[in-house]
Amino acid sequence: MNKKIAVIKGDGIGPEIVTEAMKVLDSVAEKYGHSFEYDQLLMGGCSIDANGVPLTDETIERCKSADAVLMGSIGGDTTTSPWYKLPPELRPEAGLLKIRKSLGLFANLRPSVLYPQLAGACPLKEEISAKGFDMLIMRELTGGLYFGEHKTEEVDGVMTAVDTLRYDENEIRRIAVKAFEVAMKRSRKVTSVDKANVLDSSRLWRRVVTEVSESYPEVELEHMLVDNCAMQLVKDPAQFDVMVTENMFGDILSDEASMITGSIGMLASASMNETKFGLYEPSGGSAPDIAGQNKANPIATILSAAMMLRYSFDMSEEADAVENAVNKALNSGYRTGDIMSEGMKTVSCSEMGSLIAQAID
Ligand code: IPM
Ligand code: MN
């Protein structure tokens, strides 16, 4: 197959980790007889420097004309980078929110898996980590607090800021359907996370998710309040299969879920629209403190590329091959600094990429 991939390397460690994911994709192409054509595009701080804005309309159009988008990370140090002196709508993050909205990427899939080889890096007690876990957070990505009305104004002489949490039933229904669909392919359990004891948007969320569940009788549905969920994630992460939740809750809970795997450098993500089109990026940020040092962990980006093969290109055998290659590199004892433990071999970002690319079969 011939596929066109829009590539956004971005800022910080983005260029390093995406280069390694491309190395792995090239190895897949060679072994499986595909051809991947890359269209490299700017977004975030590098786009601000080149074009004055974090995302241009041309970049959006070129992403739309590709079969999928592979992304690294955007942004810089928020206290020292000049990008953060700009008004909010011109900062790197605004580019990311705009691309999600422009491409209609409402479903953000963030798998969180405890690799047995990395159990030592899990900060939880051994009696908890010993059970392992494999969950998928389905975060709503184009609604809620992020995209409701924002304003800051003086009201009766007092500075006042407002962010609005708004959802309509259609936005809730389509993300709930995605959650139940993937649950059918996994362990058939959905935990819907909300704050229905306080928020109207959550009460509607709960009602619509319950309605959708009626079409999936094989899937067990459980509702959980977000504060309790934050606690359950560290108490008993093995209880979760698919978790579905609104944008802001999902942002926070997915960072928590990544931390208990030992390193955010291992976590892939996919952001999808209604079709097979998606944007694939690691869950972690641009890590400006280690940028340019060939130290970053490229595995999350490589696993994101595997998700692209699986979800956008229907290449499940190839996706399995990438995941197996990651396991092989870990089993052979290779580690980047973030997942290093005693007795293992430290490798650089580019060495890890090469090891995984060579292990594709
Ligand atoms: C994420 C990030 C973004 C978000 C930021 C960079 C806008 O934290 O992808 O989780 O909050 O969605
Ligand atoms: Mn986040």
Side-chain angles (χ1 to χ4, degrees), residues 235-273:
K235 193 173 157 228
D236 179 19
Q239 70 183 287
F240 297 108
D241 177 26
V242 176
M243 184 189 291
V244 61
T245 192
E246 73 93 34
N247 203 345
M248 180 89 181
F249 297 160
D251 179 45
I252 298 168
L253 293 174
S254 63
D255 263 33
E256 188 185 356
S258 74
M259 191 54 225
I260 57 172
T261 68
S263 172
I264 196 162
M266 296 294 296
L267 289 198
S269 96
S271 305
M272 318 279 303
N273 65 14

Side-chain angles (χ1 to χ4, degrees), residues 200-218:
D200 265 49
S201 55
S202 283
R203 287 188 272 270
L204 180 63
W205 182 278
R206 202 174 266 222
R207 197 168 86 209
V208 174
V209 172
T210 305
E211 276 165 26
V212 170
S213 75
E214 283 155 19
S215 306
Y216 299 88
E218 300 97 327

Side-chain angles (χ1 to χ4, degrees), residues 26 87 138 160 177 203 220 231 237-238 248 259 304:
D26 288 340
M138 179 71 76
T160 308
V177 167
R203 287 188 272 270
E220 178 197 344
M231 189 172 78
M248 180 89 181
M259 191 54 225
S304 301

Side-chain angles (χ1 to χ4, degrees), residues 71 74-75 84 92-94 96-97 100 108 110 139 141 146 247-248 250-252 254-255 269 271 281-285:
M71 201 192 114
I74 52 108
Y84 296 92
E93 286 71 12
L96 182 58
L97 298 185
R100 288 173 178 168
N108 183 212
R110 297 191 164 182
R139 167 188 175 193
L141 204 59
Y146 279 57
N247 203 345
M248 180 89 181
D251 179 45
I252 298 168
S254 63
D255 263 33
S269 96
S271 305
E281 56 171 323
S283 289

